[in-house]
Amino acid sequence: MNRTWTVLELLNWAVPYLEKHGSSSPRLDAELLLARVLDCPRLGLYLRFDQPLDAAELAAFKDLIVARRGGMPVAYLLGEKEFWSLTFKVGPEVLVPRPETEHLVEAAIAFLEEEPERSARVIDIGTGCGNIILALAHHFRERKHLSWFGIDNRPEALALARENSRQLGLDHVVFRVSDLFAGFKPGLDAFELVLSNPPYIERAALAGLSPEVRREPAAALDGGPDGLDFYRRITVAARDFLEPGGGLLFEVGAEQAGAVKKILASSGYDAIAGRCDLAGHERVVSGRKV
Ligand code: GLN
């Protein structure tokens, strides 16, 4: 590429190129990657359509587009992802936060707002980069009577979660390496709210996921033979750690709400309910410990 390329010309080339290679959001991808190379906000590109790129910028953009074409998620290329209007550091060691998970944050806010003065301990199981618990801690940052815990059995995920808590000025959120509640003591440790977006893909379906999703850690996706292993384990384990009346809130896969409600019912939870996303799918299932 010896000729000069402007911002607009590069976008006009990269968008159809990424589309042809399977990206479902080629314009957004191309813009985010070009904005990273030029170190400007994405919308700033629209003010610089005629700006030519120098050779180093051009080479950097080309490398990113080639990696993206190979299925690397944009969030891993950028090292960050927006969730709940906050910026989270992410990498291949954690699931990329998804917009649909914001429904779980909304459900948790609604639960905690039922009794705004009550002190409550909230725990997020399988916290990954910490997006859920940190979004909540940020939303409720003035409420000093709420405390926040994020656990994950993978230390490399927690390292990122801790970096995110520092970056967001939310150092009071406690992150702990723990396989479910293994690091906690029944009777001593009790929570008003247990949250999780656990791995929920059926194991046999993993190989058929898009190349992009297959770049994400299997440990964050694999929900066992029927995808429901973690719902069963967490539902049973949480009974020993929830206060009476405490809430259990799950994100579930698009077709899993019915099965997860049954799991909660068979473990003796009550007030079992689902919450729909914008497409009308129940993506959050909740219950209360009796
Ligand atoms: N809690 C993180 C999220 O919802 C990671 C969940 C996971 O790894 N399954 O994005």
Side-chain angles (χ1 to χ4, degrees):
M1 281 204 243
N2 275 334
R3 56 168 282 208
T4 306
W5 287 78
T6 65
V7 165
L8 182 61
E9 286 170 335
L10 274 173
L11 288 176
N12 285 342
W13 164 77
V15 174
Y17 182 80
L18 289 178
E19 188 167 24
K20 192 172 115 203
H21 288 94
S23 166
S24 58
S25 52
R27 172 155 294 275
L28 181 64
D29 295 0
E31 288 181 359
L32 286 168
L33 296 174
L34 190 50
R36 164 57 58 91
V37 167
L38 297 178
D39 194 21
C40 73
R42 179 168 70 91
L43 295 179
L45 295 174
Y46 286 77
L47 305 172
R48 314 171 177 218
F49 273 164
D50 296 327
Q51 179 179 317
L53 272 73
D54 66 27
E57 291 166 341
L58 200 54
F61 184 60
K62 205 177 139 201
D63 286 350
L64 288 170
I65 292 291
V66 167
R68 179 70 192 117
R69 183 192 66 187
M72 187 61 91
V74 173
Y76 293 163
L77 291 171
L78 298 177
E80 61 184 37
K81 174 75 184 178
E82 209 168 284
F83 178 82
W84 200 257
S85 302
L86 302 169
T87 301
F88 289 88
K89 272 189 155 206
V90 296
E93 57 275 56
V94 293
L95 196 78
V96 177
R98 308 287 206 270
E100 53 266 34
T101 302
E102 294 184 348
H103 292 294
L104 183 62
V105 175
E106 280 164 10
I109 290 173
F111 180 91
L112 292 166
E113 288 291 10
E114 283 174 19
E115 290 182 77
E117 303 308 324
R118 180 174 175 197
S119 50
R121 292 167 33 115
V122 181
I123 187 163
D124 173 26
I125 299 180
T127 200
C129 72
N131 52 314
I132 296 170
I133 201 76
L134 291 169
L136 283 168
H138 186 266
H139 179 86
F140 286 117
R141 58 199 177 281
E142 308 303 337
R143 305 245 183 114
K144 303 297 175 206
H145 54 286
L146 298 176
S147 33
W148 312 101
F149 299 81
I151 60 176
D152 204 291
N153 61 358
R154 295 183 309 125
E156 63 274 27
L158 281 191
L160 265 179
R162 289 196 179 102
E163 263 187 66
N164 282 321
S165 70
R166 270 194 298 278
Q167 197 159 294
L168 294 166
L170 299 167
D171 299 282
H172 57 293
V173 178
V174 177
F175 288 105
R176 205 185 278 181
V177 179
S178 175
D179 188 17
L180 298 191
F181 291 96
F184 296 85
K185 294 200 172 50
L188 273 182
D189 295 305
F191 300 91
E192 277 69 25
L193 185 55
V194 173
L195 304 165
S196 187
N197 173 24
Y200 56 64
I201 312 282
E202 285 174 34
R203 189 163 296 151
L206 290 173
L209 295 171
S210 70
E212 177 160 2
V213 178
R214 276 187 278 132
R215 300 278 182 150
E216 296 184 88
L221 298 169
D222 183 352
D226 65 355
L228 301 171
D229 273 7
F230 286 92
Y231 297 111
R232 292 190 196 92
R233 291 180 60 198
I234 295 170
T235 299
V236 170
R239 278 190 313 212
D240 293 337
F241 290 92
L242 273 169
E243 295 283 5
L248 175 59
L249 289 181
F250 282 126
E251 175 173 326
V252 300
E255 308 298 333
Q256 291 174 325
V260 175
K261 286 180 186 173
K262 279 191 196 136
I263 291 171
L264 265 67
S266 67
S267 285
Y269 287 78
D270 76 354
I272 296 166
R275 199 182 163 99
C276 289
D277 66 10
L278 299 175
H281 292 119
E282 283 186 322
R283 293 306 301 268
V284 174
V285 166
S286 58
R288 279 177 197 266
K289 179 172 157 167
V290 180

